[in-house]
Amino acid sequence: MSANYLPANPMAEWLGRTVLRLMGWRIEGELPNLDRFIVIGAHHTSNWDFVIFIAFKFVLRLNARWFGKHTLFRWPFGGLMRLWGGIAIRRDRQVNRVEQAVQAFREHPEFILVLSPEGTRKKVERWKMGFYHIARGAGVPLVLAALDYRNKRVYIGPTFWPTGDEAADLREILAFYRPFIPKKPEYAFYGD
């Protein structure tokens, strides 16, 4: 079994399926058959996005890692967040998270990292481009995955290989996300 997929855990899978079913959500599309990649999960505008992501992770048995602000990792839930693949990030410290993530890809032949380019649930004027620089530095593709609240689905889209033309690549990536409606559309960034 690939290290990107966890051993069967009927309780976690049941929990994930139950959460998605109760919320009326489904998963469409398939992840690529690759050992290493970054999933862009967008648009991140609500705490409910995290609930859907964890349910998605459980259903697909993904051994995916994700960044979260350090306050999520405090007692009593810190251990659970780490168990679910979380990596605490302190935004108040000058740390090169891009290089740390690139190094993690170098150290692990099988590695999935899920990132939200907004970096917050609030309105943003632009996406943080760390996901792009990590992908370029690690030589891995981006998998575009959208939360579509209008149709209640997690949509797994295409695999995208960054070309090095950041502006053109970002326009193409944002074009993919344009049709998907987040929980709070007024917070979503769709480009210029």
Side-chain angles (χ1 to χ4, degrees):
M1 173 185 290
S2 167
N4 282 336
Y5 295 93
L6 298 169
N9 181 335
M11 183 63 175
E13 291 175 50
W14 173 84
L15 180 61
R17 288 184 204 294
T18 300
V19 167
L20 291 179
R21 183 175 39 80
L22 288 174
M23 293 178 71
W25 280 68
R26 66 189 183 282
I27 300 169
E28 290 184 8
E30 291 184 20
L31 291 170
N33 187 17
L34 298 171
D35 292 331
R36 302 176 331 141
F37 54 90
I38 296 170
V39 177
I40 300 176
H43 290 281
H44 181 33
T45 64
S46 164
N47 285 330
W48 284 106
D49 302 343
F50 180 75
V51 174
I52 294 163
F53 160 68
I54 292 297
F56 165 85
K57 180 176 162 50
F58 286 174
V59 168
L60 296 182
R61 296 178 21 213
L62 287 181
N63 187 18
R65 305 302 305 265
W66 50 275
F67 292 147
K69 63 182 175 180
H70 72 283
T71 55
L72 289 173
F73 295 85
R74 293 182 181 154
W75 189 88
F77 299 111
L80 190 59
M81 295 295 138
R82 282 184 279 283
L83 180 67
W84 289 348
I87 300 168
I89 296 296
R90 291 195 62 106
R91 295 180 184 155
D92 60 337
R93 295 191 179 155
Q94 292 294 343
V95 177
N96 190 333
R97 288 183 283 278
V98 169
E99 186 51 43
Q100 287 179 343
V102 168
Q103 187 61 35
F105 275 102
R106 287 184 188 132
E107 293 171 359
H108 299 92
E110 296 177 338
F111 195 76
I112 298 172
L113 181 61
V114 179
L115 297 173
S116 167
E118 292 94 350
T120 183
R121 294 172 313 279
K122 299 176 179 134
K123 172 81 174 147
V124 296
E125 298 302 319
R126 63 178 179 79
W127 275 6
K128 295 182 179 199
M129 294 302 290
F131 72 91
Y132 188 86
H133 300 294
I134 295 167
R136 294 276 298 158
V140 299
L142 302 166
V143 174
L144 310 184
L147 294 171
D148 183 9
Y149 276 82
R150 176 184 290 157
N151 297 299
K152 292 193 172 185
R153 63 185 174 156
V154 176
Y155 184 80
I156 304 167
T159 300
F160 183 90
W161 287 91
T163 66
D165 184 341
E166 186 176 315
D169 287 350
L170 182 59
R171 280 192 301 275
E172 189 172 336
I173 291 167
L174 287 170
F176 166 79
Y177 286 99
R178 198 160 278 117
F180 301 104
I181 306 300
K183 175 84 170 156
K184 297 179 181 176
E186 66 275 15
Y187 289 179
F189 175 73
Y190 292 103
D192 299 329

